[in-house]
C-alpha cells in the first residue's frame, strides 16, 4: 500500500491536523505507516458534538456543473448533511449512537449559500433527516419564509415512524420531490 495514512471516523479535524503536522503520531484518528513499515493507530478522535462549528464546504472552488447523479430534477445538484449518527441500535448498521444535528438556521444558511452558487437541487444525505421532526419542520418553514427556490431530495431514507402528514406537506412546500422510506424491519 502506498498510503502514508488513513483517517478513521470524522475526518475534518484529523485531515486539517494531518496537513499541518510535522509529527503525525500526535494527530488523533489516523492509521499511519511508520518508517519501519509497521502500522500504528494514533488513537480515537472525539466526535464533533457541535456540527454548527464546521465551516461550509468550499463548493465555490469546485466545478459543480461537472458533478451529476442519475436521479434528479435539476442540475447542478449538490449534497448536504444536516446530522450525523443515529440513536438506534440496528444490528446491521455501523453508526455511532451519538446522534448530532446541525441547527435549522445553519442548515438553511448553507442551502441558501449553495443556491447563490448556482445549485438547483440538493440531495440531503442524512441517515434520517426527520429524526427530529420539529427541526425538520423548522428547516422547511425557513426555506419557504426565505423564498429559497431549490429542489430537494432525501434519497438516503427517512424512517416511517419519524414523519407525519403535516411534515410531509411542509417538505413538499419547501421543495422536496423525492424521499425514500427506509424499512427498518419486516414487521
Amino acid at each position: 500500500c502506498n498510503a502514508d495514512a488513513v483517517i478513521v471516523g470524522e475526518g475534518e479535524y484529523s485531515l486539517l491536523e494531518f496537513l499541518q503536522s510535522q509529527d503525525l503520531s500526535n494527530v488523533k484518528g489516523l492509521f499511519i505507516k511508520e518508517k519501519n513499515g509497521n502500522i500504528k493507530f494514533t488513537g480515537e478522535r472525539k466526535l464533533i458534538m457541535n456540527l454548527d462549528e464546521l465551516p461550509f464546504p468550499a463548493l465555490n472552488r469546485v466545478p459543480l456543473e461537472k458533478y451529476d447523479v442519475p436521479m434528479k430534477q435539476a442540475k447542478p445538484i449538490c449534497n448536504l448533511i444536516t446530522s450525523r449518527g443515529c440513536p438506534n441500535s440496528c444490528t446491521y448498521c455501523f453508526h455511532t449512537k451519538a446522534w448530532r444535528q446541525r441547527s435549522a438556521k445553519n442548515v438553511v444558511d448553507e442551502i441558501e449559500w449553495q443556491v447563490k452558487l448556482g445549485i438547483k437541487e440538493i440531495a440531503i444525505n442524512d441517515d434520517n433527516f426527520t429524526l427530529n421532526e420539529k427541526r425538520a419542520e423548522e428547516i422547511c418553514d425557513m426555506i419557504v419564509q426565505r423564498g429559497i427556490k431549490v429542489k430537494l431530495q432525501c434519497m438516503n431514507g427517512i424512517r416511517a415512524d419519524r414523519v407525519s402528514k403535516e411534515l410531509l406537506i411542509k417538505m413538499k412546500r419547501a421543495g422536496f420531490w423525492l424521499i425514500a422510506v427506509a424499512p427498518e424491519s419486516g414487521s
Side-chain angles (χ1 to χ4, degrees):
C1 175
N2 292 325
D4 294 322
V6 173
I7 297 173
V8 294
E10 296 178 335
E12 289 89 354
Y13 293 119
S14 295
L15 178 60
L16 178 63
E17 291 176 25
F18 172 82
L19 295 171
Q20 295 175 338
S21 180
Q22 300 297 318
D23 182 5
L24 296 182
S25 65
N26 292 326
V27 178
K28 295 289 185 202
L30 299 180
F31 279 99
I32 56 174
K33 187 189 298 183
E34 298 179 308
K35 288 185 172 134
N36 63 8
N38 291 337
I39 304 297
K40 175 185 174 184
F41 181 54
T42 61
E44 286 191 35
R45 180 172 290 279
K46 290 182 182 176
L47 295 174
I48 302 166
M49 299 311 287
N50 178 9
L51 299 179
D52 285 359
E53 76 185 35
L54 296 172
F56 299 159
L59 298 176
N60 54 322
R61 297 177 176 208
V62 178
L64 296 168
E65 68 283 350
K66 291 186 177 183
Y67 293 89
D68 201 8
V69 296
M71 295 198 52
K72 64 183 173 305
Q73 285 191 343
K75 190 176 175 182
I77 184 168
C78 201
N79 296 300
L80 181 74
I81 295 176
T82 78
S83 67
R84 292 181 178 175
C86 180
N88 300 307
S89 299
C90 301
T91 57
Y92 56 82
C93 189
F94 67 92
H95 283 292
T96 175
K97 287 188 62 135
W99 184 73
R100 288 127 323 122
Q101 63 185 1
R102 293 169 60 187
S103 68
K105 180 185 181 315
N106 182 265
V107 170
V108 177
D109 286 349
E110 183 173 349
I111 290 171
E112 189 169 47
W113 177 70
Q114 285 194 21
V115 169
K116 286 179 182 173
L117 291 175
I119 297 301
K120 305 287 187 226
E121 183 166 340
I122 296 173
I124 295 178
N125 289 326
D126 292 23
D127 286 311
N128 192 347
F129 174 70
T130 61
L131 186 63
N132 178 343
E133 290 179 63
K134 182 178 184 300
R135 181 188 74 117
E137 285 185 14
E138 287 176 33
I139 290 169
C140 293
D141 289 343
M142 290 174 86
I143 290 169
V144 171
Q145 288 165 1
R146 292 189 194 184
I148 301 169
K149 301 295 181 213
V150 65
K151 298 283 184 182
L152 298 161
Q153 58 171 279
C154 280
M155 187 60 169
N156 206 26
I158 60 174
R159 287 176 58 113
D161 65 344
R162 292 297 186 173
V163 66
S164 64
K165 182 178 179 181
E166 294 78 23
L167 177 56
L168 290 172
I169 290 168
K170 287 183 180 220
M171 290 175 75
K172 177 70 174 167
R173 283 188 193 133
F176 283 89
W177 71 275
L178 174 68
I179 59 171
V181 178
E184 302 303 333
S185 76
S187 300

